Amino acid sequence: MVKLVEIEDDAVFDDDSQYTTDEDENESIASLTDKEEEDESDFDFDEEDDEFEETFLERVQALKDIIPIEKRRAFSSAISNISYWGTFGLHLAGKLSWVFTTSALLVVFPLALESDREKMMQQWESEQAGGIPGGQQQPMGGMLPPGVAGSAPGIVA
């Protein structure tokens, strides 16, 4: 509560000095030092000070009285739009990733398997044709193909 005190013009403004007299100045200096000592004791941490700590949410709620309603509505609208477009973008990204993943599994994976199978067939054909580098391959069963001269036992050329 504020207490109003009326100050008379004669007490403040003397004829000889501009504002106060020397006696008033000495009294004011003494009262200032007393007030400074009281102020220093206010900075001591008491248990009562802990009771008045505000949370972040309480401070934000207190701002409701300070910020005009038009600004609050504009800010709320901007946050709502950002939230809407953010969720829309995330849903779209999720759906697109699903489409690309399933397409890769249905198209690219079998194509890679078929390509691998084709390489294996070409390798097998080159083995059958005898095109393996590093020497000739002996035919199965110890027999030579017809028309090849060799020293197989029991065959006279």
Side-chain angles (χ1 to χ4, degrees):
M1 178 119 191
V2 178
K3 183 178 180 183
L4 296 176
V5 178
E6 183 178 345
I7 300 174
E8 296 182 19
D9 292 335
D10 294 336
V12 175
F13 299 105
D14 292 335
D15 293 335
D16 294 338
S17 70
Q18 185 178 2
Y19 297 105
T20 60
T21 61
D22 290 335
E23 293 173 5
D24 291 337
E25 189 174 315
N26 291 337
E27 289 176 9
S28 65
I29 291 173
S31 66
L32 283 176
T33 56
D34 292 340
K35 286 182 182 178
E36 288 176 0
E37 291 174 4
E38 289 176 8
D39 289 341
E40 288 176 4
S41 66
D42 289 342
F43 290 115
D44 295 336
F45 291 106
D46 297 331
E47 293 178 10
E48 295 174 5
D49 291 340
D50 294 336
E51 294 175 12
F52 296 109
E53 290 185 16
E54 291 180 320
T55 63
F56 181 73
L57 184 61
E58 289 172 343
R59 288 183 180 212
V60 170
Q61 288 174 345
L63 287 175
K64 190 171 21 174
D65 298 333
I66 298 172
I67 300 173
I69 192 146
E70 296 85 19
K71 297 282 185 180
R72 282 187 284 163
R73 284 185 183 152
F75 184 72
S76 175
S77 175
I79 295 297
S80 295
N81 285 338
I82 290 170
S83 173
Y84 171 75
W85 288 108
T87 55
F88 176 76
L90 289 175
H91 283 285
L92 184 63
K95 289 178 183 180
L96 287 175
S97 66
W98 172 257
V99 167
F100 289 131
T101 303
T102 54
S103 297
L105 288 175
L106 294 175
V107 175
V108 176
F109 187 66
L111 183 65
L113 289 176
E114 190 61 34
S115 173
D116 190 41
R117 184 179 296 154
E118 183 69 26
K119 287 180 184 177
M120 288 180 7
M121 286 297 293
Q122 288 175 355
Q123 184 181 7
W124 182 77
E125 287 175 354
S126 66
E127 287 176 2
Q128 290 299 320
I132 296 179
Q136 290 184 354
Q137 193 176 29
Q138 187 177 11
M140 295 174 62
M143 295 173 38
L144 293 175
V148 176
S151 59
I155 299 181
V156 178

